[in-house]
Every structure is written in C-alpha cells, then in structure tokens.
Amino acid sequence: MLQSSIVPAVQLALASLVCAAGMAAVPVAGAQPVGQPAAFRADEPLPVDPRLTQGVLPNGMRYIVMQHAVPPGRAAAWLHVSTGSLNETQAQRGIAHFLEHMAFNGSKNFSPGSVIDFFQQLGLTFGRHQNASTRFDRTGYRLEMPDNKPETLGKALLFLSDVAFRLTLSPDEIEKERGVIMEEKRTRLGAQQRVQEAWIKQIAPGSIFGDRIPIGVEETILGVNQQDFKDYYGKWYVPSNMAIFVVADMDPAAMVEMIKKNFSEGQKKPPTPDLEIGIRPYTESRAVVISDPELTRTRISVIRVEPLRPAAITVGGLRAQLVEQLGVIAFNRRMEKKIARAEVNCLTAGLSAGNFTGALRLVGANASGEPSKWEAMLTDLCTELQRARLHGFEATEIEDAMREVTAPAEAAVQSEPTRNAVAIMAGWDESLGSGEPITSATQDLTLLKRLLPTIDAKEVSSTFAVATDTSAVTILVESPTGANMPAEAAVLAAAKAALAKSPAAEVAGARATALMKELPEAGAIVKTDLHAPSGVVNFELANGVTVHFRDMDYKKDQVSVSILLAGGELLESAANRGVGDAVVRVLGQPATSTLASTDIQDLLVGKTVRVGGNSQPDALMISVTGTPADLETGMQLAHLMLTDPKLEQAAFDHWRTSQLQAIEALKFSPAGVLTRQVFATIFPPGEVRVQPLTAEQVNALTIESCEAWLRKLITESPIEVTIVGDLRKERAQELATRYLGSLPKRAAISGGLYADKRKLVRPRGPIESSAEVKTKTPQAQVVAGFYGPDAENFADTRLMRAAAQILTSRMIREVREQEQLVYSISALSSPSRYFPGFGMFMARASTKPESAGRLGQKLQEMYTLFAKDGPTPDEVDVYKKQIANTMEESMREPGFWAGRLQSLAYHKGSLDEIMGDAAASQLLTAEQIKACFARYYSDQTRWTITIRPSP
C-alpha cells in the first residue's frame, strides 16, 4: 500500500521505544470525496498482488507464499503474530518481548541453548539471518536460509512452528534470560529515553498506551514466572492470530505443503479480541513540559491523538488516504524551504498524520532547535500550521507533492522484481498489521494514475484543515532543565496566541527552470581495461580522473555513483579542524552561485535521484544514487558541486548549532565519552585529526574559510569514481566523460598519496584507561581490543575476520548467555585504511557499572585464550559455512561492489583478492587463524577502556 515517507520527531521517538514501529496514513473522515467523477466507485475493493498464493489452514492460521529468486536458490520464512505489548495486562508489562526471547530458549524440537548453534551449523549468522522483534501491536520471527532445499526450509518451518505452538518456557531458562533483557533495557538508557518514557505516559490520557512500552518494566522482567508466560502464550499465540510467510526460489505448491505439514495442529477458534486501549480524542488543549538536565536541544510538538481510523481497503479509502498524504508532503516541503532560507527559528520541522502502532491515530507537527528559542519555535510552528489551515496550498505545491508520490511509485515498478525476500515479507507484515490488502507496485502505480487526476489543491487544502484541527491539542515541549525551560502555563499561552492569529497566505516566488543553461563539454577516455573475473571496467579520463564501473542488474533500476576527492580530514590542521565535516553537511543542502538550495530542491521534485556526501578520514565523498532515468540529473548536480558550490549561511549556521548541541550531549553520554576516550587513548596525544570535534574548533570555523578549503579541494584533489548498478557501460562512460571528464585537470589518484601525512607513532601497551561521566544514566561502557592489521595486508585481514566471527559466537555464548554481562556484543576486526599500524580488533558493549571491570577482564581473557589455543576445528567449519553463505549473498549486492570499488586505487585494493576471497576463506585452518591472532595480540598492543557514571 502507498505509505507516507514523512515521519515527525514524535513518531520517530515512539519508534525508538519499540523494537520497530510502523505507521500508515489513513483516510480522514468525510463524505464522498470532492471532485469524484461519476464513474468512480468509492466502494471498489482494492486489488491483491496476483503473485501471492494465500490461504487459511483448517486451524485458522493464515499463510502467504511467493516464488521469488532474489536471492536465487534461497528461502526465507517469517512468523507473524498479531499481538504485542498492547495486549499485556498491568502485571505483564514486557512479557510479550520476554516471550520473544524465550522462543530461542527451548521448545519441543530444539533444546535450550541449541537454536543458535543449530542454525549456525547451516551457515546462518545470529542477528543477521535469524532474528525477531516485538512491537506494540505484533511480534515477528524471521529466518533466512542458505539454500532452497526442502529439508533446509523444513528446518526453518519446524523451528517457527515450535515458536507458534510448542515452546517449553522452562523456569530455569526464564531465570537465565532475565539478566539479558535487563541489559537490553540498559542499552537504551539516556536522556532521550527518559524524556520519551515520561511523555509517552501523557500522550493519550486515560488509556493504557503509555504503560505498554515493549521493552517492559523492571518488576515484570525480574518477577514473571512460568505460569505468567503460559497465560500470555496460550491466550495470544493461537493459530487464528498468526500467519506464516515464505518467499523462496521454489514452487508455491511445495511451500504450501510444507506449511501444512508444520502448522496444522490445534483446533480452529476465533482470534482473541485485542484488549481495549482506551484511546479518546482530546477535549481541550493543554501543555506538557518534560525536562532533563542532559538534553541539549528543545523539541516542540503540536499533537492530537484520536482512536484508530479504519484501514483503507477500498479505492475510496485509498483516495482519502492519498489526499491527506499530499497535504502532509506539501506542508513539509514548505517548511524545508523556510528552514533553508532562515525564515523560521528552528533546525528541523515537519508534520505527519496517520494510524500508529496499531493503537491510535496521531497527528503531529513538530520543530526542534535551540532551547533559548523555544517560544519563537513554537510561534513559528503554530503560525505556519495556521497559514496552511487557513489558506491551503497553491496548485503548484500540490503538483509538486503529486510528483513526489508518483516518482517513487514508478521506480518501485521497475525495482520490485529484484526486491529481496526479507523486504517483501516485511511489507506483508506491515499490511497485516494495518489491515490493508497486499498490493503490487504495478497495482499501486495504476491506482495512483487513476486517482491523482481526481484530486485538486482545493480538496487537499480543505482535508488538511480538518486533519490538523487545533481546537484541542497537546503542546509538548522537551527541554533541557535550566534557565531556558518554560513553564507549562507559558507554553499553552504562547501556543494559543499563535494559533489565534490569521497569518497572510503564502506567496509563491519565481522558480528556476534548469540546473544548467548548457552542458559541459565532455572529456576523453585515454585508457580502458576490463578485469574479466569481476566484470569491472576501469578507465582513466584525460583530466586524471579514475573511474571503476560494474554493470549489474541484481537490483533492477538502481545505480549508485561515488566520487572520492582524496585528502579530506587528512589535510586538516589544528587551525581548521572540522572543515571537512562542515563542508559535507552544508553540501547536503546544495546551492550554487546562481541557484539557491530551494531552487535546486524545486528542480529535483519528482526525480528519483539523491545527491549527498560524507567526510572520511582521508577523503571527501559525493554520492549520487537513483534510477538510470534520472541519474543524469544527479550527475549534473554533482558537477555543479564540483565546479560552482555555494555554502549558504543558513545551512552553515544550522551545522554549527547542531554540532555544538551534539558535542554538549556527548558529555552526558557514557557511549559518547567512550568514543572520545578511545580516540584519545589509542592514537598519539595531540593528533587533532583523529579526535572528535570540540566546541572550540566548531566555533573557530567561518563560512569563508570553509568555502576556500572546498574550492581548493575540488580544483586540485585527485578523484576516484565508482559507478555500480543497472546501467550500460556506454551510458556510464558518457555520463562520466561529460560531468567528470570536464573537471579541471589534476594528478591521478594512487595508493601512495599523502604518505607523510599518515605516519603516526603508536602508543605502547598494555593500556588501561578509564573515565567517569557525570550522568543520570546507570550505564557503563567497555571496549577491549588491540591493534590489528592494515587493509592492504589481505591475508592477515582475512584471518582476523575469521577470528572476529568465531570470537563473536563465543562472546554471545559466554558473555551474554552464561555471565549475562551484556545484551549485545560482537568482535570486530577493522583493518586500517588511513594510518598504517592502526588497524583495530575490538569488542564493545554497555553493562552495569558494577560489571564493567569484569566485562573488560573477561574479554581480555578470551583474547589471551584464543591467542594460546586458537579456534576448534568445529568452530572453523561453522565459520566457513557462515562466510560462504554471507559472501555468496553479499557479492550479488551492488552495495558490496560500490563499497569495495570506491577507493580501490587510493587504498591499494585488489580485484583479484576480492574475487578470490571466498575460495581463500575456505582454505583457512585453525592453526593459521591462531598464529595470525597471536602475532597481533600481546601486552604491547592491547588496550581496555572503561567508562563509568560518576557517583
């Protein structure tokens, strides 16, 4: 179904409180839509994707299957359970999520502790190929199998049927899992979490919604017993309340037979009615101020909560949904422009309307910015909301919104055949959760083309005014505790005053008509070579630009281009530290000497292409991603960014403010303090280029110095370009020569660039470093590791990757399951691409403050034992299955190739090594892995860094 892509801060915040939360826009109340043609049937049922094979088993369980070959020769399964935290009683708060954990801790056919190991033996990786999530309204379990053999899919379905019908819920396993869940709860702690948990309790007065956060409460986690689990499991995990999905490279009839074999037990009975949540519309306006001393940004929200609206199951319902969505898009586009022009006093602003979490309908406008400007932000937000409500939208604004909806729908038709199985099933899960039919991309586009001509600006405007009624709203302010924190009475008074005004209608200005008046003159290709094993074509342009190209249609109608400018942060100094980050962030709102960022925004409406960038330790990157049809527009914009960039003052000011807020917030965050402590510890003291930014550095930068730095970079830096995706070689060369070959001549890129800038003296271990953070968050952070290999050492990189995967499995078993020190942990081998000798092998996790010492000690003990004894033969065999599965999967993905090729020459990569990696990984031995690990791990190379909250 068509979904709005606009999610406000309020809904994003709610989503962070759950494992995942879906939002679908819904029809607004009203009679027959205005302007509906006579032949239009509002009650016409929405279609269903014809590729699906659906049915209901005799016991009432629903199934949906589809034959699909992306990835080829694979199978994936998903158990959808239509219950989550909203169906818990007051005494059960958190039991739905706890039960999700228990699904992996023992059932009829899988003894306690065997599930992860069983599927790892098949080549699956825990967290990647086997996972689960609990939401407010549903729970999901998924498995991605390494092949499509009936016996392999049968094992997946046997496990999922055990989850559905046959969990043992052993008291011993319940007891062992309590600590893991408490640590999961601990990982989310912080100022934002405290604020969210405070206001979610107030968002729907009189309802149970605010007391049903899926992670649960401590008393439940530590107190529930086996009978509590049986009560919830027996009531809600019934066949009529569940569905099983399978997407596989397999005949649908065979899938259905396997489902019948595994999921037919139990008697058919009606699904248990969901508990009454008690959502009631607001009857009067109020203000709620939630504060925390560790917040650094203020958020303002104007919210209205209502009961759920019926799902869109007819064409008329979809049309009403679409009318409302167009108004949301038009409003948000208007606010983006006002922010870009510094016409409002906020850093972000937006609005959305729709059903949320299966519990309520939420309409929310929001803004965020500086705490001292809370009243100005609130006034601006209310004023702009009223402006849109009173005067509506111009025809051009709605036409833009229609293009914003149509373009991705058209692209989806092209890309849908190559969506992967998990993405497909996730869509089904959302549809079942919302009650809407599952439609195909082609059906969605057909409906759009039927409906959009029947909608005009007048109808959208009137619908928007009704949907955003401000007669009874909650004004929510999230604010840092302190002098700038407003009183609730002052907030309500300011909002009422702003909402009572009648601002003038929006005045539309003249619009730009083209990115370029004339196209640049194309350069020439001076050298081309094909690396046959990989299919990568390398060519050099006459101006020194190096290009790598790989044509692949595994993901249909998708192309990505990365443009690497060598140097970046590597060339910064104490005097201009942070200039690269500032430039990249400001370029995220691109402008030129003749086109404002808002002009460019208008010119990109309806284009399925995005241009962005990021700053790396030794490069600045510009990326262009989109469809082949619109790729040239993206390349034109990239060319302008490389020849005539303009840093707008408003964007620069917003970057500075956001950075200062983020830097201040990190002071109160154990994870943030750990990051600073890590860089200060493992790199030489005084080396500013590798340290996180400080407030002093941010304040020292000027827009003039940033522009000068950027112009020097785009004029002189060697450039390496990667083009990967569904694009013919001839077209790739045409675009590259015109938009990159026309750039000023420069030195060719090479692996030896800036060698003198990369030489750093490595501190000598063992290093034990610790710090305290002044915070209300009872959380410690620990990282334990040592210096690892450089990226150009392919053999050692491969061996240390194996060590990391094997140690991750051990850590899950020993650190998480046995000692319950953490919720999530993994070992990571990160070879150095930037500074020789500074590769890192580490594991990082949050834990109880009193367990921090033990966690650091335990990790170093595991490293010491691994260096002494290495992995077992069984562990190596499991790793080989996992890496074979993962690499077969990864090497089909355009993203894998885009990542490997984007700095191939600059970082001395090797196409032969990439192509031979999978085979070489199968030849590794336990002795080789042990010997390599022992070469890097020693007292002289190891370090442990611990952050604890101060007393």
Side-chain angles (χ1 to χ4, degrees):
M1 292 300 301
L2 301 168
Q3 301 277 328
S4 172
S5 62
I6 310 299
V7 182
V10 171
Q11 295 195 359
L12 286 174
L14 280 171
S16 73
L17 291 172
V18 302
C19 297
M23 188 278 285
V26 294
V28 294
Q32 187 94 336
V34 177
Q36 180 175 297
F40 188 89
R41 277 188 50 219
D43 61 349
E44 177 187 344
L46 289 175
V48 175
D49 190 339
R51 299 171 300 167
L52 309 182
T53 298
Q54 301 190 68
V56 178
L57 299 176
N59 62 5
M61 189 168 191
R62 183 176 177 180
Y63 63 83
I64 308 173
V65 306
M66 188 174 82
Q67 184 169 7
H68 189 63
V70 179
R74 299 290 185 98
W78 185 307
L79 176 65
H80 169 101
V81 189
S82 295
T83 188
S85 60
L86 290 174
N87 280 329
E88 297 165 350
T89 65
Q90 190 73 4
Q92 292 175 330
R93 289 174 295 166
I95 201 168
H97 172 250
F98 203 147
L99 180 60
E100 173 218 307
H101 278 242
M102 293 304 298
F104 296 87
N105 288 328
S107 60
K108 179 179 178 180
N109 294 290
F110 296 86
S111 60
S114 70
V115 172
I116 294 174
D117 288 343
F118 176 83
F119 286 107
Q120 283 186 337
Q121 288 286 344
L122 297 176
L124 275 60
T125 302
F126 182 65
R128 175 171 179 166
H129 301 111
Q130 49 180 326
N131 215 332
S133 66
T134 304
R135 308 186 182 196
F136 281 92
D137 59 335
R138 61 191 185 275
T139 307
Y141 304 85
R142 67 172 173 85
L143 289 169
E144 298 174 66
M145 305 308 285
D147 57 56
N148 61 344
K149 297 175 183 176
E151 58 268 29
T152 305
L153 178 57
K155 291 170 183 174
L157 295 179
L158 178 63
F159 169 70
L160 293 176
S161 66
D162 263 16
V163 173
F165 306 124
R166 298 180 288 273
L167 295 182
T168 52
L169 303 171
S170 156
D172 289 342
E173 293 302 312
I174 293 170
E175 203 62 38
K176 285 162 56 175
E177 196 67 18
R178 296 189 201 276
V180 173
I181 297 177
M182 287 301 297
E183 289 309 314
E184 180 179 2
K185 187 174 176 67
R186 189 182 308 280
T187 62
R188 306 178 183 194
L189 296 179
Q192 198 60 52
Q193 184 75 6
R194 289 192 294 271
V195 169
Q196 289 167 5
E197 291 194 5
W199 65 253
I200 194 174
K201 293 181 182 298
Q202 301 202 45
I203 195 171
S207 76
I208 67 170
F209 180 72
D211 286 324
R212 297 299 184 271
I213 299 170
I215 191 64
V217 296
E218 185 172 336
E219 50 264 42
T220 299
I221 297 169
L222 298 180
V224 287
N225 57 37
Q226 185 186 48
Q227 189 57 50
D228 295 320
F229 281 98
K230 287 183 175 180
D231 290 344
Y232 185 91
Y233 185 56
K235 183 174 184 178
W236 300 106
Y237 279 59
V238 295
S240 56
N241 208 37
M242 295 186 283
I244 182 70
F245 311 149
V246 179
V247 175
D249 193 0
M250 180 186 293
D251 177 48
M255 293 185 249
V256 172
E257 285 306 309
M258 295 176 73
I259 287 172
K260 290 178 178 178
K261 176 183 176 182
N262 286 280
F263 289 92
S264 291
E265 70 181 68
Q267 298 298 312
K268 183 174 183 178
K269 57 182 180 180
T272 308
D274 290 331
L275 297 184
E276 175 59 39
I277 302 168
I279 302 295
R280 295 174 178 83
Y282 294 161
T283 57
E284 61 181 3
S285 292
R286 63 185 180 133
V288 175
V289 176
I290 309 285
S291 68
D292 191 283
E294 297 175 15
L295 287 179
T296 59
R297 177 181 289 197
T298 290
R299 290 187 184 276
I300 308 282
S301 301
V302 181
I303 303 168
R304 195 176 75 254
V305 165
E306 301 172 349
L308 281 174
R309 295 280 180 84
I313 59 175
T314 65
V315 173
L318 176 64
R319 184 181 183 280
Q321 183 186 81
L322 181 57
V323 170
E324 183 173 88
Q325 181 183 357
L326 292 171
V328 169
I329 294 172
F331 181 81
N332 288 334
R333 282 182 49 77
R334 184 184 286 184
M335 293 304 295
E336 286 174 13
K337 290 183 177 182
K338 288 181 178 291
I339 291 170
R341 293 192 291 251
E343 294 175 358
V344 288
N345 292 278
C346 54
L347 300 174
T348 66
L351 178 141
S352 75
N355 279 357
F356 185 59
T357 73
L360 49 83
R361 171 177 162 82
L362 179 65
V363 181
N366 68 86
S368 70
E370 299 176 68
S372 62
K373 297 181 179 180
W374 73 264
E375 188 168 4
M377 278 195 290
L378 176 57
T379 299
D380 287 344
L381 183 63
C382 291
T383 298
E384 295 308 324
L385 191 59
Q386 282 298 92
R387 193 189 312 277
R389 295 188 70 251
L390 291 173
H391 304 290
F393 302 102
E394 296 293 324
T396 53
E397 291 180 293
I398 302 308
E399 289 165 5
D400 286 347
M402 288 179 176
R403 287 196 288 271
E404 288 283 277
V405 170
T406 303
E410 291 175 335
V413 171
Q414 300 300 319
S415 62
E416 185 175 55
T418 52
R419 288 179 70 203
N420 66 42
V422 170
I424 290 169
M425 293 191 297
W428 298 353
D429 182 65
E430 291 289 343
S431 292
L432 262 65
S434 68
E436 297 179 341
I438 300 169
T439 54
S440 71
T442 299
Q443 290 169 329
D444 286 342
L445 181 59
T446 300
L447 286 165
L448 263 182
K449 289 183 175 180
R450 283 178 59 191
L451 295 175
L452 286 176
T454 74
I455 299 170
D456 59 23
K458 182 178 179 181
E459 182 185 3
V460 173
S461 298
S462 61
T463 298
F464 183 89
V466 173
T468 57
D469 176 25
T470 56
S471 60
V473 293
T474 292
I475 313 299
L476 172 68
V477 178
E478 302 168 57
S479 171
T481 305
N484 293 314
M485 188 184 82
E488 290 181 349
V491 169
L492 186 58
K496 285 185 174 180
L499 291 171
K501 293 179 180 178
S502 298
E506 187 77 1
V507 178
R511 295 173 62 132
T513 57
L515 282 172
M516 292 180 166
K517 291 183 179 179
E518 57 184 37
L519 300 183
E521 186 175 342
I525 297 173
V526 295
K527 181 182 178 182
T528 304
D529 71 77
L530 168 67
H531 185 263
S534 66
V536 174
V537 178
N538 304 295
F539 49 96
E540 295 179 14
L541 306 181
N543 62 347
V545 173
T546 297
V547 182
H548 313 295
F549 168 72
R550 193 171 196 268
D551 177 8
M552 52 192 310
D553 63 357
Y554 182 70
K555 290 297 174 68
K556 201 73 179 170
D557 211 45
Q558 299 176 43
V559 187
S560 68
V561 179
S562 66
I563 304 167
L564 179 151
L565 287 83
E569 295 176 16
L570 191 69
L571 306 183
E572 293 180 8
S573 65
N576 70 351
R577 177 72 181 110
V579 64
D581 185 76
V583 163
V584 164
R585 298 290 184 87
V586 176
L587 285 179
Q589 187 177 305
T592 72
S593 61
T594 59
L595 292 170
S597 61
T598 52
D599 293 326
I600 292 174
Q601 181 184 341
D602 285 339
L603 291 168
L604 292 181
V605 170
K607 299 290 186 183
T608 49
V609 67
R610 294 292 177 266
V611 180
N614 64 80
S615 182
Q616 297 184 354
D618 66 351
L620 184 147
M621 303 285 295
I622 294 175
S623 62
V624 182
T625 57
T627 62
D630 288 331
L631 187 63
E632 184 161 8
T633 299
M635 294 298 289
Q636 288 180 358
L637 181 52
H639 178 88
L640 292 175
M641 293 168 68
L642 291 167
T643 55
D644 184 30
K646 173 68 177 176
L647 304 186
E648 292 184 325
Q649 188 67 50
F652 181 77
D653 292 343
H654 290 164
W655 167 80
R656 188 198 301 278
T657 301
S658 297
Q659 273 290 3
L660 292 174
Q661 290 176 342
I663 290 168
E664 184 67 17
L666 289 179
K667 294 179 183 178
F668 307 111
S669 163
V673 173
L674 178 66
T675 298
R676 288 194 176 276
Q677 193 75 4
V678 166
F679 283 101
T681 301
I682 65 179
F683 283 101
E687 180 49 75
V688 297
R689 295 174 300 167
V690 295
Q691 302 301 322
L693 290 179
T694 66
E696 294 75 19
Q697 290 165 343
V698 171
N699 282 320
L701 290 171
T702 65
I703 193 168
E704 293 79 14
S705 65
C706 289
E707 279 197 329
W709 185 87
L710 174 60
R711 291 194 178 280
K712 180 177 174 63
L713 191 74
I714 62 177
T715 303
E716 301 176 0
S717 283
I719 291 179
E720 184 169 14
V721 179
T722 300
I723 305 173
V724 175
D726 188 9
L727 194 71
R728 293 180 298 105
K729 181 184 75 172
E730 293 75 17
R731 180 59 172 160
Q733 290 178 328
E734 178 186 348
L735 293 173
T737 53
R738 181 169 299 281
Y739 298 108
L740 301 168
S742 55
L743 299 175
K745 188 173 178 62
R746 63 202 66 223
I749 202 158
S750 70
L753 276 174
Y754 310 121
D756 59 321
K757 299 283 187 180
R758 300 177 186 273
K759 295 177 181 177
L760 301 179
V761 178
R762 197 166 77 185
R764 184 176 177 84
I767 300 171
E768 299 283 339
S769 176
S770 64
E772 291 186 345
V773 54
K774 202 171 182 180
T775 180
K776 293 173 62 178
T777 304
Q779 179 194 88
Q781 291 276 338
V782 177
V783 60
F786 54 95
Y787 297 106
D790 294 334
E792 60 191 74
N793 186 335
F794 304 114
D796 284 4
T797 293
R798 186 177 297 117
L799 289 161
M800 295 300 280
R801 180 181 64 199
Q805 182 64 49
I806 293 167
L807 275 166
T808 292
S809 296
R810 288 189 184 182
M811 289 173 184
I812 292 171
R813 182 172 60 252
E814 297 179 27
V815 182
R816 171 184 153 125
E817 303 294 340
Q818 293 176 9
E819 297 204 28
Q820 297 186 2
L821 293 171
V822 302
Y823 162 62
S824 176
I825 192 165
S826 61
L828 171 69
S829 179
S830 180
S832 177
R833 296 180 180 275
Y834 314 116
F835 300 101
F838 283 83
M840 299 176 200
F841 190 104
M842 71 179 90
R844 171 179 179 170
S846 61
T847 189
K848 291 181 290 191
E850 59 268 31
S851 299
R854 174 55 187 155
L855 177 56
Q857 177 189 28
K858 174 65 177 177
L859 293 174
Q860 292 292 354
E861 287 173 355
M862 295 182 76
Y863 295 153
T864 300
L865 182 64
F866 200 86
K868 175 177 174 290
D869 297 335
T872 67
D874 284 347
E875 287 176 320
V876 176
D877 287 343
V878 168
Y879 169 73
K880 288 180 178 179
K881 293 175 184 176
Q882 290 176 321
I883 196 65
N885 182 27
T886 300
M887 292 193 73
E888 180 186 8
E889 188 178 280
S890 297
M891 290 184 73
R892 295 191 185 104
E893 291 287 343
F896 170 88
W897 287 97
R900 293 300 184 94
L901 296 178
Q902 69 178 12
S903 61
L904 187 72
Y906 191 33
H907 290 148
K908 302 179 183 178
S910 166
L911 290 170
D912 288 334
E913 284 289 338
I914 294 172
M915 294 306 298
D917 195 14
S921 296
Q922 296 305 309
L923 300 176
L924 301 182
T925 66
E927 186 59 36
Q928 288 174 329
I929 296 170
K930 182 185 83 168
C932 182
F933 191 90
R935 283 201 305 276
Y936 287 96
Y937 180 70
S938 68
D939 279 349
Q940 290 72 42
T941 62
R942 68 177 176 86
W943 30 265
T944 305
I945 303 166
T946 305
I947 306 298
R948 294 180 177 88
S950 57

